[in-house]
Amino acid sequence: GAVVSQHPSRVICKSGTSVKIECRSLDFQATTMFWYRQFPKQSLMLMATSNEGSKATYEQGVEKDKFLINHASLTLSTLTVTSAHPEDSSFYICRGGTGAQSPREAFFGQGTRLTVV
Amino acid sequence: DAKTTQPPSMDCAEGRAANLPCNHSTISGNEYVYWYRQIHSQGPQYIIHGLKNNETNEMASLIITEDRKSSTLILPHATLRDTAVYYCIVRVIQGAQKLVFGQGTRLTINP
C-alpha cells in the first residue's frame, strides 16, 4: 500500500532553534500534503495544506512564518518549525494526498514528537 | 464535511466484540463514512469505509443505518492491541481532500 515515511520520529531541540520535519511518499506521488499537529490527549488539528510547486494554505490561527512548509517535489514535503518555543512541543503528523479518487487512502506518516526545552 | 459525534471513551473485554457508535445526522448523499484509529504516538491508521451498504474487511465491520445518520464500527474479537482512539469521519471520496478529525472514542481493551 501507499506509504509515507516521516522523519525524525522524535526530536528534542533548544528554545529558539529551528527544526525540520520531512515526509516522503515512497510509492506514490503526493500532489497534496496535509500537516497536522496534536497536543496530548487531543485530536489532530489540521495546520496547513500544501500542493506540489505552490504555496501552502494555512488554517486559521497557524502562523505561516513560524511553520514553513515546502513541497517542492511530488515525493517530498517538509515542515520547518522556526524559532521553536516550548509551546510548540507537540506531535506533528503529515498525510499525503494523490489528487485522484482513492477510497483506501490512509497515507499518514508515523508522526514526529517534538520537544522544545 | 459533516460533523460526527462519538462517545469520548469505551471499555471492552479482550476477546469480546467492540461496538463503536458514531452519529452523523447531517451527512450528505455523496459523503462516505470513514473510520481511522490512532494507537498512542503513531499516525492514524485506516480501518474501513462505506457509503450505505454494510462493509467488512480483515480488520472490522461497518454497519450503516438505512437513513445513514449513524453507523457502528465492530471489532469482532478485540485484542489488547486494539486499544486506541477511533475516529469516525464523513467525507466525499477524493484522495486530496483534507480530513477533519473530531475527538474520537478512546477504546480500552481490558484483559
Side-chain angles (χ1 to χ4, degrees), chain B residues 26-101:
Chain B
T26 59
I27 191 170
S28 300
N30 63 342
E31 287 181 315
Y32 286 67
V33 180
Y34 276 73
W35 283 83
Y36 293 85
R37 73 179 182 184
Q38 187 180 25
I39 295 171
H40 183 62
S41 292
Q42 296 183 24
Q45 175 189 23
Y46 165 87
I47 301 173
I48 199 167
H49 78 281
L51 181 63
K52 53 183 178 181
N53 297 322
N54 297 337
E55 302 288 344
T56 295
N57 63 19
E58 65 277 7
M59 289 182 68
S61 294
L62 174 61
I63 308 298
I64 303 174
T65 58
E66 195 168 337
D67 63 7
R68 302 210 321 124
K69 292 185 177 182
S70 65
S71 61
T72 301
L73 177 74
I74 301 173
L75 307 178
H77 304 288
T79 70
L80 298 179
R81 287 179 295 181
D82 292 322
T83 293
V85 179
Y86 288 76
Y87 296 98
C88 167
I89 299 173
V90 292
R91 51 169 285 200
V92 296
I93 189 166
Q94 184 177 352
Q97 189 184 57
K98 64 182 180 182
L99 295 180
V100 177
F101 286 81

Side-chain angles (χ1 to χ4, degrees), chain A residues 32 34 36 38 41-44 46 59 91 93 95 97-106 108-110 113, chain B residues 34 36 38 40-46 49 57-58 87 91 93-103 106:
Chain A
T32 304
F34 303 92
Y36 293 83
Q38 186 176 33
K41 298 202 184 282
Q42 294 187 23
S43 186
L44 288 80
L46 182 66
E59 296 296 308
F91 192 56
I93 309 167
R95 171 181 162 253
T98 64
Q101 292 199 355
S102 179
R104 170 114 189 166
E105 53 109 329
F108 285 93
Q110 302 94 323
R113 173 79 56 195
Chain B
Y34 276 73
Y36 293 85
Q38 187 180 25
H40 183 62
S41 292
Q42 296 183 24
Q45 175 189 23
Y46 165 87
H49 78 281
N57 63 19
E58 65 277 7
Y87 296 98
R91 51 169 285 200
I93 189 166
Q94 184 177 352
Q97 189 184 57
K98 64 182 180 182
L99 295 180
V100 177
F101 286 81
Q103 293 305 307
R106 186 172 297 275

Side-chain angles (χ1 to χ4, degrees), chain A:
Chain A
V3 176
V4 172
S5 178
Q6 183 173 348
H7 293 280
S9 58
R10 290 179 177 271
V11 58
I12 299 173
C13 72
K14 290 186 177 180
S15 190
T17 61
S18 296
V19 174
K20 180 184 284 188
I21 301 169
E22 288 190 353
C23 278
R24 294 181 183 273
S25 55
L26 299 184
D27 54 359
F28 72 102
Q29 293 185 327
T31 55
T32 304
M33 194 68 77
F34 303 92
W35 288 93
Y36 293 83
R37 179 169 55 181
Q38 186 176 33
F39 292 109
K41 298 202 184 282
Q42 294 187 23
S43 186
L44 288 80
M45 285 176 27
L46 182 66
M47 298 174 65
T49 302
S50 70
N51 293 301
E52 183 264 338
S54 60
K55 288 185 178 180
T57 302
Y58 290 81
E59 296 296 308
Q60 193 172 9
V62 178
E63 301 175 57
K64 63 179 181 181
D65 294 329
K66 180 169 185 62
F67 299 99
L68 302 180
I69 293 172
N70 184 284
H71 193 170
S73 79
L74 290 172
T75 59
L76 175 63
S77 179
T78 62
L79 167 68
T80 301
V81 183
T82 63
S83 187
H85 291 285
E87 56 264 31
D88 297 324
S89 298
S90 187
F91 192 56
Y92 293 86
I93 309 167
C94 62
R95 171 181 162 253
T98 64
Q101 292 199 355
S102 179
R104 170 114 189 166
E105 53 109 329
F107 311 154
F108 285 93
Q110 302 94 323
T112 297
R113 173 79 56 195
L114 170 63
T115 303
V116 184
V117 297

